[in-house]
Amino acid sequence: MIEPNEISHIKNVISKNHNFWRFKRIFDITICILLLPILLSVIVIILFLNLFYNKGSVFFVQKRMGKSCMPFYALKFRTMVDIEEINRKYSDPLELDRITSLGRVLRKVKIDELPQIINVLKGDMSLIGPRPDYYEHALLFLDNISDYRLRHEIKPGISGLSQIRLGYAEGLVATKKKSKIDIFYIKNANFYLDIKIFFGTILIILKGIFV
């Protein structure tokens, strides 16, 4: 259970840093507009490659938990075989058997997240912030992790501090660690930290390409 003064403290920290958050939104929009031609080019390439290596839809839309714990629909390039309903529990390992050959490559170089620049332009997300969890799993995290709600005081991000430090968080223990890092980010957010996260993300992408 979160103490009311913890929520008030986070809100006050965000409010005092309002110039940063205002500029961050302007920066997000500018960068995403510049990335749109790249996104369109990648869509065309994947449309062609899907005919041979990943038959089915180009995009995958998933309900995620966003700011103020409200749901939104995150857009990704599809990397798995389609199923009618997600049955994986938050404690279950990733369903590696469902990842297609092309999807494996897209995940390795993080290209599968690129369509989320549309979510950023819509205002659902930011370029940098806490990574949004699958909505049904997030509801369970709210009940089982005391400070999990605090990480939703800002918009989720395509990449974030916990993302580059922990990678994919699986299960309650990892999600607790992720939550603490995300809250640290919210309390200490500044341009320098965002730049560090940005270059940390680029490094991860480069490792995925060359390693």
Side-chain angles (χ1 to χ4, degrees):
M1 188 75 176
I2 302 174
E3 296 293 332
N5 60 339
E6 290 183 77
I7 298 175
S8 297
H9 175 65
I10 287 287
K11 289 183 180 294
N12 286 336
V13 168
I14 294 170
S15 179
K16 288 178 181 179
N17 207 10
H18 66 276
N19 285 334
F20 165 76
W21 298 107
R22 186 181 296 123
F23 179 83
K24 183 179 174 73
R25 178 60 183 156
I26 295 170
F27 179 80
D28 283 349
I29 293 171
T30 303
I31 295 299
C32 287
I33 289 173
L34 292 175
L35 286 174
L36 279 176
I38 296 175
L39 173 61
L40 292 173
S41 300
V42 173
I43 289 173
V44 172
I45 294 170
I46 291 178
L47 271 170
F48 174 74
L49 292 176
N50 270 10
L51 296 173
F52 307 97
Y53 305 107
N54 196 15
K55 291 185 178 180
S57 59
V58 173
F59 298 110
F60 172 66
V61 181
Q62 188 180 61
K63 191 177 182 181
R64 302 282 183 96
M65 183 172 284
K67 184 179 178 183
S68 302
C69 299
M70 297 298 292
F72 76 98
Y73 290 90
L75 192 64
K76 296 180 65 175
F77 286 126
R78 185 179 56 81
T79 60
M80 290 182 162
V81 175
D82 282 324
I83 56 174
E84 291 185 8
E85 185 179 358
I86 297 176
N87 296 311
R88 185 173 69 88
K89 298 177 181 178
Y90 68 78
S91 56
D92 292 341
L94 188 63
E95 298 167 295
L96 297 177
D97 58 307
R98 286 183 49 224
I99 300 176
T100 65
S101 57
L102 176 60
R104 200 169 291 113
V105 175
L106 296 178
R107 281 172 172 261
K108 188 176 182 183
V109 298
K110 308 301 181 186
I111 292 295
D112 59 317
E113 309 284 356
L114 186 60
Q116 287 172 23
I117 66 173
I118 302 299
N119 288 112
V120 176
L121 289 171
K122 287 174 60 182
D124 296 325
M125 297 179 68
S126 177
L127 288 173
I128 293 172
R131 283 292 299 156
D133 289 318
Y134 174 51
Y135 189 74
E136 300 303 322
H137 291 175
L139 291 175
L140 294 171
F141 294 147
L142 284 174
D143 291 335
N144 291 280
I145 301 174
S146 60
D147 55 3
Y148 184 76
R149 185 178 300 275
L150 295 177
R151 71 189 292 275
H152 297 90
E153 289 297 320
I154 64 171
K155 292 177 183 178
I158 296 178
S159 184
L161 187 60
S162 64
Q163 186 81 355
I164 63 172
R165 286 190 180 178
L166 296 178
Y168 178 73
E170 187 177 287
L172 272 182
V173 174
T175 303
K176 285 179 182 178
K177 292 179 181 178
K178 177 179 76 172
S179 185
K180 290 188 182 301
I181 295 172
D182 290 333
I183 293 167
F184 172 87
Y185 169 77
I186 295 171
K187 290 180 177 179
N188 298 276
N190 56 58
F191 301 121
Y192 175 68
L193 184 55
D194 271 21
I195 290 170
K196 284 185 68 176
I197 294 169
F198 173 78
F199 282 107
T201 305
I202 295 298
L203 184 61
I204 290 171
I205 292 172
L206 291 175
K207 283 182 178 179
I209 294 173
F210 298 109
V211 176

